[in-house]
Amino acid sequence: QVQLVESGGGMVQPGGSLRLSCAASGGIFSTYTMGWYRQVPGKQRGLVATITSAGSTNYADSVKGRFTISRDNAKNTVYLQMSSLKPEDTAVYYCNIRSFLYDYWGQGTQVTVSS
């Protein structure tokens, strides 16, 4: 079964940095778009960033210039480097892999930005 496991979440102060990792297993994902989404209680899950198999990236306006998405196909892993973190970045962050007909999701990792 396909499994996505996120890691790297935690609590940081405003202005700090974190790097999230998502390791996928159970398939070959080098041809698929991968991404990160986040969700806070009472709100819809929203896009953070995506990266295609060719390396093209897309970011939410709220994180442009602060977050960087990357991938390592040899390790079946996608990363999200987060810097200049703000309290409004606090959320559960979910890894996503998009195949042609199905989306795979991780269990999520909590990121809390607070002083």
Side-chain angles (χ1 to χ4, degrees):
Q1 183 178 0
V2 173
Q3 185 176 41
L4 281 60
V5 179
E6 299 99 337
S7 62
M11 179 177 289
V12 297
Q13 294 185 343
S17 298
L18 284 174
R19 189 175 81 152
L20 305 183
S21 299
C22 173
S25 62
I28 303 298
F29 310 101
S30 59
T31 65
Y32 298 139
T33 295
M34 306 177 76
W36 291 93
Y37 295 74
R38 65 188 181 186
Q39 187 171 29
V40 298
K43 297 183 66 177
Q44 290 276 88
R45 187 175 301 181
L47 168 74
V48 177
T50 60
I51 182 167
T52 70
S53 61
S56 297
T57 58
N58 177 250
Y59 297 92
D61 288 342
S62 58
V63 307
K64 286 180 179 177
R66 300 187 299 119
F67 291 10
T68 301
I69 188 171
S70 61
R71 64 192 292 166
D72 185 340
N73 288 331
K75 297 181 178 179
N76 286 331
T77 300
V78 61
Y79 305 94
L80 185 69
Q81 177 66 51
M82 305 183 293
S83 61
S84 301
L85 283 162
K86 305 174 180 179
E88 50 263 45
D89 295 318
T90 296
V92 177
Y93 284 70
Y94 296 91
C95 178
N96 167 261
I97 299 178
R98 181 177 299 133
S99 69
F100 186 72
L101 295 175
Y102 193 83
D103 282 355
Y104 300 97
W105 295 94
Q107 291 295 309
T109 185
Q110 177 71 46
V111 172
T112 302
V113 184
S114 176
S115 60

